[in-house]
Amino acid sequence: MTGPVTTTKSVSAAGSEAVSRPAVRRAAAAGLALAACLTASPGLAHAAAPAPAGDRDAATAATGAADRQAGPRPAPGLSRYYQQHLTWGSCAKGPDDAAGRDLDRAGVQCADVTVPLDYTVPQGRTITIAVSRLKATDTRHRIGAILLNNGGPGGTAVESPPDIRKAMKKAGPRYDIIGFDPRFVGRSTPLNCGWPVGTHFLSAGLSRASFERQVAFQKSLADKCRAAAPTVLPHISTRNTARDMDVIRGALGERKISYLGYSYGTYLGTVYTQMFPGRYDRVVLDGALAPDDYTPRQLQYAIKENDQALAAWADWAARRDSTYHLGRTRAQVLATIGRVLEASARQPLTIGTAPERYRIDDTQLPFLLFAGIADDTDRARAGLAEQLTVLVKAAAGQPTRLSPEFTGVLRFLQTGGPASGAQAAILCGDKPAPRDPEVYWRDIQRGRAEHPLLGAMADNISPCAFWDRPREKPTQVRHDAPALIVAATGDPRTTYRSSVALHELLPSSKLLTLKGANRHALYGEYGNACVDAKVNRYLATGKLPSADETCVK
């Protein structure tokens, strides 16, 4: 989920510089990212910049109606960021940068935006935010720039403009499509905590002993981040990313900017509308999170939907028992998973062959289930079924072979890579988590009967229990925002309930519902013509529907 750059530096324990690994697009970044998941005019315009106090920044509040008509002015000390000249050029940063070469071939240009690490000290240390631009070709009918975020948190979007241009159909050529990698992600100045794993989203396992091991392990992850970048962690937050977005808007020369966010990106978009009212144009929030549902323990809020998605997948697998041999009914399929989970608790399952051999235990196996049920297409469901057949064989002591796809998931799960910890840093930097491990253990025990397969993952402790408290209070929704909220009724990541709750907080918004889909991230991803057409109509006209609308899978 990260990409190589020669000008951005990785923050490591030794303070050394490192090049990050190639980016892989994930518009539904809460898949592996959250399970882990969720991408102008050349002239310069003046823009008011944020001051960290309050939900509406002081600099924003100080900009009166007359100033807005004339063009908002930067707050003291931030003018140089808003008025910086961006040097656009090739996205390829070296001979091995395949993603960059693909962007070059698609006509995308890339640049770095300089922002302050700490917005309260604008004259201090700076970092860079990687941005990409696919310029409007229908300049006569140009609407403006649209900024992309694929979710996560910790997802990249520099690589996304070509895909979004395609999804936007006739509206696409009328926009400058802007991807960006948020601070400390991807091609931006990244964070490297030196983790030995790709994600902290693990299960507590089936016993008190496995939970105690998780407590120690999750604390070690927090300690690694604190040791690697103690001066940086306090400035990794959604509110600072929103401030970076406004600097990007100003540097692009845009008085207002449109926005398309998926999953966590909907929370980021909501925060931007609250911190910078009047700075946005058209806003699409796909798979939306109500602010109260965004917490370090947000999987708890979606456990019901995840159980439903897993049951729906089990029904699908049961109808194909002749292929996968997992059971002929939903109950049999789920029982098969339960037996594999119990086997992995007794002794880790060895799967694959050297050099790609992995050991999976009861703290890791639920992650594979969670990662596999965010998409209800046949292709995605077959992928999870194939993984389970491998695990069944391993539980029986039989040799196994791994597909390239399964190998990639396992490699991600058990390898930290050069940019680990960014997702946790954002989650933990936004909202505090309970400190006492017994709080988590009580939740785990209470949930085992009702949620035997996924509950111990949803209720598990995380590095946030050992993180320093956030510098700022969470953003509260105090301003209306006329956004288009897109949601599937069976979304197992950011639930439909959460999308409805955000819709109620934003009275001028409209809710576009897809009925009957257990799917996270819809627009341009799921292939529902009804959803795509309605989003594109809004992006083309700027007019929200007169009432909430519904599409059917």
Side-chain angles (χ1 to χ4, degrees):
M1 296 183 59
T2 53
V5 222
T6 55
T7 56
T8 49
K9 306 297 187 286
S10 170
V11 182
S12 68
S16 60
E17 300 173 0
V19 178
S20 53
R21 57 191 168 86
V24 178
R25 183 181 191 279
R26 290 197 62 83
L32 281 182
L34 177 57
C37 117
L38 288 128
T39 199
S41 165
L44 292 175
H46 296 298
D55 289 304
R56 187 182 182 194
D57 285 347
T60 306
T63 305
D67 288 335
R68 286 195 293 272
Q69 292 173 2
R73 293 188 293 270
L78 291 172
S79 296
R80 68 185 180 107
Y81 298 106
Y82 278 82
Q83 297 172 6
Q84 66 186 286
H85 174 75
L86 300 184
T87 303
W88 296 98
S90 171
C91 296
K93 300 300 181 179
D96 297 327
D97 187 0
R101 292 198 304 273
D102 287 344
L103 289 173
D104 289 345
R105 284 191 289 267
V108 177
Q109 295 178 307
C110 289
D112 287 329
V113 178
T114 301
V115 299
L117 171 67
D118 182 350
Y119 275 87
T120 67
V121 189
Q123 71 277 16
R125 179 180 172 183
T126 63
I127 59 175
T128 57
I129 307 299
V131 297
S132 60
R133 179 181 65 180
L134 187 56
K135 294 189 70 174
T137 54
D138 186 0
T139 55
R140 186 174 179 181
H141 303 99
R142 183 181 180 275
I143 294 170
I146 184 169
L147 192 62
L148 313 177
N149 183 275
N150 288 331
T156 62
V158 159
E159 68 280 8
S160 298
D163 289 343
I164 297 302
R165 169 67 59 83
K166 186 182 301 182
M168 292 172 71
K169 299 189 185 303
K170 292 182 179 179
R174 300 176 62 191
Y175 282 91
D176 287 355
I177 302 176
I178 310 297
F180 81 107
D181 290 352
R183 54 173 52 204
F184 302 105
V185 171
R187 296 175 180 242
S188 299
T189 303
L191 171 75
N192 183 6
C193 290
W195 283 7
V197 292
T199 177
H200 69 276
F201 282 101
L202 300 170
S203 174
L206 299 186
S207 68
R208 177 75 193 208
S210 63
F211 171 69
E212 293 293 349
R213 288 193 293 272
Q214 275 294 300
V215 172
F217 181 68
Q218 298 287 348
K219 182 179 185 301
S220 75
L221 296 181
D223 290 344
K224 286 179 182 296
C225 282
R226 191 175 294 109
T231 62
V232 165
L233 292 184
H235 309 293
I236 305 178
S237 70
T238 296
R239 287 178 64 83
N240 276 333
T241 299
R243 294 177 177 116
D244 296 341
M245 287 168 55
D246 203 56
V247 171
I248 292 170
R249 177 198 58 77
L252 290 172
E254 301 290 337
R255 290 177 58 85
K256 294 185 177 183
I257 196 161
S258 294
Y259 180 79
L260 168 61
Y262 296 89
S263 188
Y264 159 81
T266 67
Y267 176 72
L268 172 61
T270 300
V271 170
Y272 183 79
T273 68
Q274 301 307 297
M275 292 178 67
F276 300 99
R279 308 292 175 80
Y280 57 88
D281 184 10
R282 299 160 203 195
V283 176
V284 178
L285 306 177
D286 188 329
L289 263 173
D292 286 348
D293 291 343
Y294 172 71
T295 78
R297 306 191 73 192
Q298 69 190 64
L299 297 189
Q300 285 187 317
Y301 294 93
I303 186 62
K304 176 183 175 182
E305 286 78 6
N306 276 280
D307 280 348
Q308 291 172 345
L310 182 59
W313 171 84
D315 287 337
W316 181 94
R319 294 193 296 270
R320 295 160 178 80
D321 183 55
S322 60
T323 300
Y324 301 111
H325 311 293
L326 298 173
R328 291 179 291 179
T329 66
R330 174 197 295 185
Q332 290 177 355
V333 172
L334 295 177
T336 297
I337 297 174
R339 288 192 296 272
V340 173
L341 183 61
E342 291 171 357
S344 71
R346 291 190 297 269
Q347 181 176 332
L349 308 181
T350 300
I351 56 178
T353 56
E356 299 286 355
R357 179 179 290 133
Y358 301 90
R359 289 166 60 83
I360 299 293
D361 65 15
D362 54 333
T363 67
Q364 300 166 323
L365 194 150
F367 166 86
L368 301 177
L369 302 176
F370 180 75
I373 58 176
D375 187 343
D376 65 0
T377 60
D378 284 346
R379 179 179 180 182
R381 285 177 162 174
L384 180 56
E386 290 165 1
Q387 292 177 16
L388 262 298
T389 60
V390 171
L391 294 170
V392 168
K393 289 182 179 179
Q398 300 175 11
T400 59
R401 284 191 171 187
L402 301 177
S403 68
E405 293 77 15
F406 197 10
T407 299
V409 173
L410 294 169
R411 190 182 297 137
F412 166 81
L413 177 60
Q414 298 192 0
T415 304
S420 61
Q423 183 178 65
I426 298 167
L427 283 167
C428 306
D430 280 342
K431 291 188 178 182
R435 301 284 187 178
D436 185 359
E438 292 306 314
V439 171
Y440 300 87
W441 178 246
R442 287 194 294 269
D443 288 345
I444 291 164
Q445 290 296 83
R446 279 194 294 263
R448 285 198 193 277
E450 188 175 358
H451 312 292
L453 297 176
L454 296 173
M457 177 177 173
D459 293 326
N460 195 24
I461 198 166
S462 78
C464 299
F466 310 99
W467 217 263
D468 295 340
R469 295 189 68 82
R471 285 282 184 94
E472 297 185 77
K473 293 181 179 179
T475 300
Q476 301 296 317
V477 174
R478 295 174 178 169
H479 310 288
D480 193 6
L484 181 62
I485 299 172
V486 184
T489 54
D491 188 333
R493 293 293 181 273
T494 53
T495 69
Y496 186 69
R497 290 178 288 112
S498 201
S499 291
V500 171
L502 180 61
H503 178 38
E504 292 172 349
L505 288 172
L506 304 175
S508 296
S509 67
K510 292 295 182 289
L511 179 63
L512 174 57
T513 298
L514 178 62
K515 293 184 67 174
N518 297 321
R519 163 73 190 207
H520 183 62
L522 299 173
Y523 172 66
E525 292 287 319
Y526 193 49
N528 186 277
C530 175
V531 168
D532 290 352
K534 292 182 183 297
V535 173
N536 283 333
R537 183 170 60 198
Y538 166 60
L539 291 174
T541 65
K543 296 180 180 179
L544 288 168
S546 58
D548 295 340
E549 296 186 319
T550 300
C551 295
V552 179
K553 178 182 174 182

